[in-house]
Amino acid sequence: MPDIEKRYGTKITAVGAARITACVLAGTKLKITQAAAGDGGGGYYVPTVDQTELVAELWRGPIVSAVQNPAVPNMLDVKIVIDDSVGNFVCREMGLFSEDGELIAICNTPDTEKVAISTGVDGRLTMVMHIVVADASVLEFTIIPALDVVSREDLERAISEHNTDPAAHEDIRQAITDAVETHDNAADVHPELQNTVGGIDARLAVLELKYGTNITGNSFTVTFAALTGLVVTGVWNETYQRVEF
């Protein structure tokens, strides 16, 4: 018998659709407080809108995040983290429940093994459920962000984006700029360097007075009464008949 084509997706249940419609008309919010996961009764199945519970629920707990999908405006990405105390089953279904325990949305998932920490490995499992509604603003999620986990790649990307953001820590950037400017303008900063520079300036001034030229920016010439005993090291410029240094 050939394998059936497996399809995966999320469905708003009949109860969920009715609750969402009522909230839209009344201008109220539908509070989603919990998520659940199960093994689908041991095999693949396609959820139906008339379901009021998972086929075989094995975990129920809080939602760690619910954010708008960046590619689809009316899609929400709902994340759950099944802790390491629960395990030894294959996750094949997920559901979202309202604060009064009604199943609002359900999805099937590819077989995903959920191990427990008792097996000797980190048993936490992160799953994301995609839910599409006409007006996502009508849904209000109770989330527990402290339970969320971040991959190394996500953390490194967030740090990189933070470090290159020109608006990050504007107060610290301005404080550094002000401190550098104050340092550069201080009259008593680095006195040993200021004394050295002052001494060099004085010696240059004496040379300029002696030879009558600005030796800091222009070349100067020296005329000797006699060349007897004078040794000069440089490059002879044949065109101008002079030694250049």
Side-chain angles (χ1 to χ4, degrees), residues 163-206:
N163 290 341
T164 56
D165 183 2
H169 300 302
E170 291 185 356
D171 54 337
I172 296 178
R173 293 173 184 265
Q174 188 59 50
I176 293 174
T177 300
D178 293 343
V180 171
E181 184 176 349
T182 300
H183 172 86
D184 291 343
N185 294 331
D188 58 348
V189 67
H190 300 306
E192 69 285 356
L193 294 180
Q194 292 195 25
N195 291 336
T196 300
V197 172
I200 293 174
D201 287 342
R203 288 192 289 273
L204 288 176
V206 171

Side-chain angles (χ1 to χ4, degrees), residues 129-191:
M129 181 176 179
H130 306 290
I131 176 173
V132 177
V133 293
D135 184 2
S137 66
V138 76
L139 301 180
E140 182 178 286
F141 291 85
T142 299
I143 63 173
I144 310 296
L147 299 177
D148 200 1
V149 292
V150 180
S151 68
R152 182 183 182 89
E153 292 76 13
D154 289 341
L155 180 60
E156 290 178 347
R157 181 171 59 253
I159 292 174
S160 177
E161 291 175 354
H162 173 82
N163 290 341
T164 56
D165 183 2
H169 300 302
E170 291 185 356
D171 54 337
I172 296 178
R173 293 173 184 265
Q174 188 59 50
I176 293 174
T177 300
D178 293 343
V180 171
E181 184 176 349
T182 300
H183 172 86
D184 291 343
N185 294 331
D188 58 348
V189 67
H190 300 306

Side-chain angles (χ1 to χ4, degrees), residues 198-213 215-216:
I200 293 174
D201 287 342
R203 288 192 289 273
L204 288 176
V206 171
L207 289 173
E208 289 174 348
L209 287 173
K210 181 175 181 179
Y211 297 110
T213 184
I215 67 172
T216 62

Side-chain angles (χ1 to χ4, degrees), residues 48-125:
T48 62
V49 297
D50 59 347
Q51 284 184 242
T52 57
E53 60 185 12
L54 301 187
V55 170
E57 180 178 322
L58 295 172
W59 172 88
R60 184 176 294 207
I63 299 164
V64 299
S65 71
V67 298
Q68 180 179 322
N69 186 287
V72 184
N74 61 334
M75 176 182 286
L76 294 174
D77 297 338
V78 183
K79 182 192 292 187
I80 67 171
V81 177
I82 305 176
D83 64 80
D84 51 17
S85 65
V86 181
N88 299 325
F89 70 91
V90 176
C91 183
R92 298 187 180 93
E93 57 181 346
M94 294 169 56
L96 298 177
F97 290 85
S98 64
E99 62 179 344
D100 50 7
E102 290 187 312
L103 181 62
I104 303 301
I106 187 171
C107 75
N108 58 352
T109 71
D111 289 7
T112 306
E113 185 178 5
K114 174 63 180 76
V115 298
I117 196 170
S118 58
T119 61
V121 297
D122 187 347
R124 289 174 298 178
L125 175 64

